[in-house]
Amino acid sequence: MTPILEARGLMKRYGKTQALAGLDLVVNPGRVVALLGPNGAGKTTFVRAVATLLRPDAGTLHVDGIDALRKPAKVRQVIGLAGQFAAVEEAMSGRENLEMVGRLFGLSRKEAKAAAVTVLDQMQLTADADRLVRTYSGGMRRRIDLGISLVGTPRLLLLDEPTAGLDPGSRIHLWDAIRSLVVTGTDILLTTQYLDEADQLASDIVIIDHGKVIAAGTPAELKTRAGDDMIEVHVRDADDLPAVSGVLAKIGHNPRADLPQRRAYVAVDDGSSGLMDTLRVLDSHGITVEDVSLRRPTLDEVFLALTGRPAQTTDSPRQHARA
Amino acid sequence: MTDTYVLAPSPGVPRAAVNTGAGLRVSSLLVAGRMVRKFARTPQLIVFTTIQSALFLFVFRFAFGGAIGTGGSLSYVNFLVPGFIATTILWAGMGAATGVAEDVEHGFIDRLRSLPIPRAAVLIGRSLADLALMVWSLAIAAIFGFAVGFRLTGSISEALAAFGLCVLFGFAFEWVFMVIGLVGGTARAAQSMGMMITPLVFLSSAYVPVKSMPTGVRQFSEIQPVTPMINAVRGLATGARGAALLEHSTGYYVGLSLAWAAAIFVVFGLLAFLRFARR
């Protein structure tokens, strides 16, 4: 099977910034792949290279088996792109935008009309199809923007932060639309700063930092590989928290306390024996606990363990990083 | 060399068809069609520049005009209006530069560049639409000119030739503004860069005879491309009286301005394509 995306040793430098530092990644068909990484990690640069908008300084890049450095025009026949901005013409209706891009993808007038109807339905915009886009809400703009990249049925759809700045309802809406694409033969490569988005939406997660892939796999694999099990203790009385942290520090590593939530947690190598030890020691100290649990690490914790930095939080201001 | 991460496929998924993409003619027309709709549905893009240029004309015609001598038997209004119409090209062009920069800024250009169409189509389509807008602006400027008292003293065919020359020159200058828009990258930057053009407008024969200028400024005015174009347009539109003010024949200026237009088109057209193709 031809990989939909094959990058080997990709390099790109902007002045003093090494945006891509030998990025290696092979993606096979049928997946929704999320690129996750701190700001400036090289996510957008990578997506722009795949979209043939920039040329890497070194390395090879194949999209659906096509050499993106030698035959960028061929690559453009199999990709769709929706960037960080909703790149739609505001002075045209949703339908007009779709029909225009459909025809640019090479559809006849009739085919473009039909494709527009399908996409409008898929994006649940049929009722607003003939209003000018400048009257659309933020969520509707994002949906029409995503729809525009779909009128030509790309094999690989590139989405650069598709839900940045959207309210939760609109995000879930957009996720559903994105998921539905894979069954029609469109693979997805998306960048995101939201861990929950990667967790909910992606079949694979690729963590990028300093222009390189530092981990990749399904969300479950990543959690298994990168993070140990976590023991989490909730106490009834916040005054007990320091004592609990002290106990946990002896059982596992990187203990952390969360005062407002009255909980402390620690990563352990062996979950079940660690849990037994925790219970025994807490009991011998006479500390009353509300709840003790053994759980898999969250993606946040995986991310922190791998990059040494916490992931961006959901309510952080939007970055207009342009590579 | 680090390990390459290979992600497993999902079995049995269909493959989407390949998009062939539209050809140069169809994609250029589609891009132009989008611009025309944008202009038609966003009147504020045109209305304010139109009002601005009308005010400008009014000020020169009625406030400054009385103090400016043409140095010949040509009345000031007949001197002014051909220059005013010709410089409309530059004012309209600055709007075009801002428009291109906005498309860069908002990712529209990137979207078009990621589609399976000839990249030239984006620039050609844009220039066609801007040309249509320029013809419209020139027509409005001509109407204003007649409204403030301009009268043709040459033949109708010469006047039409003058208009045609403006359109041709406008098309060539569009590529200058296209480059400004692409290089500027943001509407604000493009607007500032576009303002660099204003010396070409004022240090020309558009509003005052260059003879009245000090030597250095006068030399600049005479060698820069806008002056020969204005002289050609003025000579054609005002017949013998206008031609009498010129150092050379009207034909000489027509030839010179055509040469300038060709040179500007070739140089800036190439720059625009190179800039656009760069990645």
mmCIF file of all heavy atoms in Angstrom, chain B residues 9 51 56 58 109 205 244 267:
data_model
loop_
_atom_site.group_PDB
_atom_site.id
_atom_site.type_symbol
_atom_site.label_atom_id
_atom_site.label_comp_id
_atom_site.label_asym_id
_atom_site.label_seq_id
_atom_site.Cartn_x
_atom_site.Cartn_y
_atom_site.Cartn_z
ATOM 1 N N PRO B 9 -2.016 1.557 8.710
ATOM 2 C CA PRO B 9 -3.197 1.950 7.934
ATOM 3 C C PRO B 9 -4.471 1.353 8.523
ATOM 4 O O PRO B 9 -4.410 0.413 9.311
ATOM 5 C CB PRO B 9 -2.920 1.336 6.563
ATOM 6 C CG PRO B 9 -2.090 0.125 6.860
ATOM 7 C CD PRO B 9 -1.288 0.442 8.096
ATOM 8 N N ILE B 51 -15.360 59.439 -4.220
ATOM 9 C CA ILE B 51 -15.634 60.719 -3.570
ATOM 10 C C ILE B 51 -14.327 61.478 -3.341
ATOM 11 O O ILE B 51 -14.221 62.675 -3.608
ATOM 12 C CB ILE B 51 -16.372 60.506 -2.224
ATOM 13 C CG1 ILE B 51 -17.771 59.947 -2.487
ATOM 14 C CG2 ILE B 51 -16.443 61.804 -1.425
ATOM 15 C CD1 ILE B 51 -18.520 59.546 -1.233
ATOM 16 N N PHE B 56 -10.714 66.006 -4.725
ATOM 17 C CA PHE B 56 -9.398 66.366 -5.212
ATOM 18 C C PHE B 56 -9.488 67.254 -6.448
ATOM 19 O O PHE B 56 -8.866 68.317 -6.538
ATOM 20 C CB PHE B 56 -8.691 65.054 -5.555
ATOM 21 C CG PHE B 56 -7.243 65.078 -5.285
ATOM 22 C CD1 PHE B 56 -6.775 65.085 -3.986
ATOM 23 C CD2 PHE B 56 -6.346 65.091 -6.336
ATOM 24 C CE1 PHE B 56 -5.426 65.110 -3.742
ATOM 25 C CE2 PHE B 56 -4.996 65.107 -6.093
ATOM 26 C CZ PHE B 56 -4.528 65.128 -4.799
ATOM 27 N N PHE B 58 -12.061 68.903 -7.446
ATOM 28 C CA PHE B 58 -12.757 70.134 -7.070
ATOM 29 C C PHE B 58 -11.768 71.156 -6.502
ATOM 30 O O PHE B 58 -11.776 72.329 -6.873
ATOM 31 C CB PHE B 58 -13.835 69.782 -6.034
ATOM 32 C CG PHE B 58 -14.859 70.852 -5.847
ATOM 33 C CD1 PHE B 58 -15.945 70.954 -6.714
ATOM 34 C CD2 PHE B 58 -14.754 71.766 -4.798
ATOM 35 C CE1 PHE B 58 -16.888 71.936 -6.555
ATOM 36 C CE2 PHE B 58 -15.695 72.763 -4.628
ATOM 37 C CZ PHE B 58 -16.770 72.843 -5.516
ATOM 38 N N ILE B 109 -4.910 33.509 -0.817
ATOM 39 C CA ILE B 109 -3.894 33.200 -1.830
ATOM 40 C C ILE B 109 -3.332 31.795 -1.589
ATOM 41 O O ILE B 109 -3.159 31.026 -2.527
ATOM 42 C CB ILE B 109 -2.760 34.258 -1.789
ATOM 43 C CG1 ILE B 109 -3.300 35.644 -2.177
ATOM 44 C CG2 ILE B 109 -1.582 33.846 -2.651
ATOM 45 C CD1 ILE B 109 -3.414 35.905 -3.649
ATOM 46 N N SER B 205 3.539 66.187 -14.694
ATOM 47 C CA SER B 205 2.849 67.311 -15.335
ATOM 48 C C SER B 205 1.340 67.255 -15.120
ATOM 49 O O SER B 205 0.588 67.900 -15.831
ATOM 50 C CB SER B 205 3.176 67.323 -16.828
ATOM 51 O OG SER B 205 2.726 66.115 -17.406
ATOM 52 N N ALA B 244 0.745 72.521 -28.028
ATOM 53 C CA ALA B 244 1.642 73.679 -28.048
ATOM 54 C C ALA B 244 2.475 73.788 -26.777
ATOM 55 O O ALA B 244 3.568 74.357 -26.782
ATOM 56 C CB ALA B 244 0.831 74.954 -28.242
ATOM 57 N N VAL B 267 8.704 43.958 -16.666
ATOM 58 C CA VAL B 267 9.505 43.856 -15.439
ATOM 59 C C VAL B 267 8.646 43.446 -14.242
ATOM 60 O O VAL B 267 8.940 42.472 -13.540
ATOM 61 C CB VAL B 267 10.246 45.189 -15.145
ATOM 62 C CG1 VAL B 267 10.901 45.138 -13.770
ATOM 63 C CG2 VAL B 267 11.286 45.443 -16.224
#
